[in-house]
Amino acid sequence: MKTLSIGDYAVFLIYFVLVAGYGWWVYKRKHNADATSKDYFLAEGSLTWWAIGASLIASNISAEQFIGTSGSAFKMGLAISTYEWMAAITLIIVAVFFIPVYLKNKIFTMPQFLHQRYNGTVAMVMAIFWLLLYIVVNLMSILYLGALAISGISGLDIHLCIWLLAIFAVIITLGGMKVIGYTDVIQVAVLILGGLVATYLALNKLSTFTNTPGIISGFKSMYSEANDHFHMIFKKDNANYMDLPGLTVLIGGMWITNLNYWGCNQYITQRALGANLKTARGGILFAAFLKLLMPVIVVLPGIAAYVLYQKGMFHQEMLSASGVTDPNKAYPSLLNLLPGGLKGLSFAALTAAIVASLAGKANSIATIFTLDIYKKAINPAADDKKLVNLGKWSVVVAMFLGILLSEVIGNALMGEGKQGFQYIQEYTGFVSPGIFAMFILGFFWKKATSNAAMFATIGGFIMSCFFKLLPRFADLSFLSPYGFSKLALQDDKVTKLYEIPFLDRMGFVFVICVVGMYIISKIDGARGVKTNGLEIDGSMFKTSRAFTAGALIVTGIVIALYSIFW
């Protein structure tokens, strides 16, 4: 039933008061009227390792995970967990190799890194790219999928839900990164507790179909009745191969997706850029451990919903307006089975995930616009007070644009049975190969030039579009033996073509960008073009024994999980 009881509203009100009250306390206790813009945007030096780790997860786990990932789990099963478990390994790589470079060179924003390593033109082009990506893809998708879930649980109009989520997020964001970072600790606690409750009750529900009650029995029942949903690696004849193409998730494009997201993304790295190296690494390792837990919260409910759906439950709730089964409605449909009070807790967890992600994304948009565009190109003489005020207005404007986009095109892009999570991954993948190539060579190859970086930035996007559209103009059937899948296009007749899975497409574009950057840099070097180096030495990459032990434990758990569910 799409309603909340008085008990549910009471639980949600407690959550809201806790977050708002704690946020206000943090703001009043730690606010400084003379705070610098870096203090406002980055909470410079004031976040602890546990706040950094919690904030990383709170910003990452949002509607696209609760709704999108659960929807993908409904359709394809445990394999979608590869985004979570591979991310745990990626976080360790970022902590060891990326963060030391940023901190040693006093990097506070990603465009600043590009300006320092390449030149102002590359930095400005990428600053604009990131703003468009964060608003058009991320803000819009978080708002739409979040509102879809909130509406599905509460029965409130989806348009009202979009506005309420945006307003709540703006209130949190206007307090600056300190408020976001510390309130995210509460958000993550609520998120994990509420998510575990939903998973527990879903497995309990499944156990009612067996003679033995309990979550262990429920899991065994789910594993038995949806065994095809418990494979991590798909073969090329699998219907889901286009989304997760076989071993590519272990040795191909999945690495580009994860390393770009966790290592070259203002939205994520911003949490660690204001801390010292030991604190930043501790927070990132904590986030890696939390990442291992996420599939229990966002994937298992989707598989449970699939099994219950096969048993005849909530068929009506899963339908879109046009009568299509919509995987994005799996998680909200499942929550509607929860009793009063517990439904309110899961509802609060979902809201916490959405609001934390919106706040983090809006803060990053404001940071890039204020420090990397306005301060650099429009008003270099602007003082800190003006920059902080402009940052606050940027938050409001960005959120308003996100609302408009989610209202106008949200359903077209992510509704009607589409997988919202896969939409985000694919369209982010149009720019991530070029960005990652530019960053990785910028880090570790001193001869990479600004012309080469510009090629990766613009050329990478153009090539991604080319490979996306290529099957519509060329017969790629010769690629069939290599695992590429058929795509049926409906015009006057159905034409059988061969589409390139987007993760493989990302891998191809990344390789082309790296080769292109190498050739262009060599040509520039022969012409005497100078490059801007970074301060890097081997000692930066040494880690403490405690960090190394934690990293080995995370890696061992991931290897074990893939071995079990291969």
Side-chain angles (χ1 to χ4, degrees):
M1 184 170 58
K2 295 183 179 181
T3 56
L4 296 174
S5 67
I6 294 176
D8 294 325
Y9 280 115
V11 171
F12 182 80
L13 182 62
I14 292 171
Y15 150 73
F16 180 85
V17 171
L18 271 175
V19 173
Y22 184 55
W24 178 252
W25 180 80
V26 169
Y27 180 77
K28 296 299 289 185
R29 184 168 181 258
K30 296 180 177 290
H31 179 64
N32 180 356
D34 299 319
T36 66
S37 55
K38 287 177 182 175
D39 185 64
Y40 175 79
F41 291 115
L42 299 166
E44 193 168 7
S46 66
L47 293 183
T48 58
W49 65 267
W50 45 269
I52 290 172
S55 191
L56 280 169
I57 296 302
S59 297
N60 168 245
I61 301 298
S62 182
E64 68 263 32
Q65 267 74 26
F66 269 106
I67 307 307
T69 304
S70 291
S72 292
F74 179 92
K75 181 177 181 290
M76 67 177 70
L78 189 67
I80 199 65
S81 299
T82 197
Y83 281 99
E84 307 300 320
W85 289 338
M86 292 293 283
I89 304 294
T90 303
L91 280 163
I92 292 170
I93 294 172
V94 169
V96 174
F97 296 107
F98 286 45
I99 292 298
V101 177
Y102 292 139
L103 297 183
K104 182 74 172 179
N105 291 274
K106 295 181 171 56
I107 301 296
F108 298 108
T109 70
M110 297 299 97
Q112 180 198 345
F113 165 80
L114 298 176
H115 187 280
Q116 194 166 316
R117 176 59 181 83
Y118 295 112
N119 62 25
T121 303
V122 174
M124 187 58 65
V125 169
M126 281 311 305
I128 295 170
F129 254 65
W130 271 310
L131 285 185
L132 292 173
L133 180 69
Y134 289 166
I135 295 173
V136 175
V137 176
N138 298 107
L139 267 190
M140 185 270 287
S141 62
I142 294 170
L143 276 170
Y144 178 79
L145 290 175
L148 183 71
I150 298 298
S151 175
I153 298 167
S154 65
L156 296 174
D157 180 73
I158 186 171
H159 305 291
L160 175 62
C161 292
I162 288 173
W163 280 92
L164 291 176
L165 286 172
I167 291 169
F168 191 0
V170 166
I171 292 171
I172 296 294
T173 312
L174 292 180
M177 182 51 75
K178 285 177 186 173
V179 174
I180 294 171
Y182 282 106
T183 54
D184 277 351
V185 176
I186 296 179
Q187 308 273 45
V188 162
V190 174
L191 182 160
I192 292 176
L193 180 60
L196 288 174
V197 165
T199 302
Y200 173 82
L201 290 173
L203 293 176
N204 238 9
K205 184 70 176 177
L206 285 171
S207 73
T208 61
F209 296 97
T210 69
N211 294 324
T212 309
I215 60 171
I216 302 299
S217 176
F219 181 82
K220 288 179 179 177
S221 173
M222 180 172 65
Y223 185 81
S224 172
E225 299 198 30
N227 187 259
D228 60 326
H229 274 51
F230 282 89
H231 298 289
M232 293 298 296
I233 306 297
F234 293 138
K235 296 180 180 179
K236 66 179 182 179
D237 59 351
N238 191 290
N240 299 305
Y241 185 86
M242 288 299 297
D243 293 320
L244 293 172
L247 289 177
T248 294
V249 302
L250 295 179
I251 59 175
M254 183 63 73
W255 284 108
I256 299 168
T257 295
N258 273 297
L259 286 168
N260 177 72
Y261 179 84
W262 292 103
C264 312
N265 185 351
Q266 181 73 28
Y267 172 48
I268 293 299
T269 55
Q270 189 160 338
R271 272 100 188 116
L273 294 182
N276 60 49
L277 182 57
K278 181 181 179 181
T279 303
R281 277 180 169 163
I284 293 172
L285 181 61
F286 179 44
F289 275 102
L290 290 178
K291 262 296 178 187
L292 297 175
L293 180 65
M294 287 304 112
V296 177
I297 296 172
V298 299
V299 175
L300 290 187
I303 303 175
Y306 170 78
V307 176
L308 293 172
Y309 182 84
Q310 297 301 313
K311 291 182 177 293
M313 299 187 67
F314 44 73
H315 276 214
Q316 192 64 36
E317 292 91 332
M318 291 285 295
L319 295 178
S320 67
S322 61
V324 176
T325 299
D326 186 355
N328 291 324
K329 293 189 175 183
Y331 195 81
S333 298
L334 192 65
L335 292 193
N336 281 320
L337 298 176
L338 303 183
L342 289 177
K343 185 177 178 181
L345 179 61
S346 295
F347 181 66
L350 185 60
T351 305
I354 297 164
V355 169
S357 253
L358 286 173
K361 188 67 71 178
N363 183 268
S364 294
I365 290 169
T367 302
I368 290 176
F369 176 75
T370 304
L371 300 184
D372 295 301
I373 296 180
Y374 183 81
K375 176 72 171 174
K376 293 278 175 61
I378 300 173
N379 187 3
D383 59 22
D384 280 323
K385 184 177 180 180
K386 186 167 188 176
L387 291 176
V388 170
N389 288 333
L390 180 65
K392 292 179 179 180
W393 278 108
S394 301
V395 168
V396 175
V397 172
M399 200 66 71
F400 182 69
L401 291 174
I403 291 171
L404 289 181
L405 288 168
S406 60
E407 294 267 18
V408 174
I409 62 174
N411 186 66
L413 294 174
M414 290 173 287
E416 296 299 312
K418 301 180 180 70
Q419 294 182 70
F421 183 75
Q422 294 302 108
Y423 155 80
I424 296 167
Q425 301 307 319
E426 177 167 6
Y427 284 93
T428 302
F430 275 82
V431 296
S432 52
I435 294 173
F436 183 56
M438 177 172 48
F439 268 78
I440 203 71
L441 290 187
F443 277 142
F444 303 114
W445 191 44
K446 293 180 179 180
K447 295 180 180 180
T449 65
S450 57
N451 288 330
M454 192 62 75
F455 165 77
T457 301
I458 299 175
F461 176 74
I462 293 172
M463 284 184 289
S464 294
C465 295
F466 171 76
F467 281 119
K468 172 68 175 177
L469 298 173
L470 183 61
R472 286 153 175 78
F473 302 103
D475 180 7
L476 301 182
S477 57
F478 67 92
L479 292 174
S480 179
Y482 303 99
F484 297 106
S485 300
K486 289 182 179 179
L487 169 70
L489 297 178
Q490 183 75 50
D491 291 315
D492 296 331
K493 58 181 180 178
V494 175
T495 306
K496 293 283 186 178
L497 298 174
Y498 285 79
E499 186 176 30
I500 303 171
F502 74 87
L503 284 173
D504 287 336
R505 185 176 75 226
M506 289 172 62
F508 295 154
V509 173
F510 173 73
V511 171
I512 293 171
C513 285
V514 169
V515 172
M517 285 187 70
Y518 176 81
I519 294 171
I520 293 170
S521 296
K522 283 294 186 182
I523 294 172
D524 284 344
R527 292 169 46 226
V529 175
K530 302 295 183 182
T531 59
N532 302 317
L534 295 170
E535 192 174 342
I536 296 179
D537 62 77
S539 64
M540 295 165 48
F541 306 122
K542 292 181 180 178
T543 60
S544 66
R545 290 183 179 179
F547 179 90
T548 302
L552 288 174
I553 291 171
V554 169
T555 304
I557 292 173
V558 171
I559 292 172
L561 288 168
Y562 273 94
S563 299
I564 294 169
F565 297 109
W566 183 268

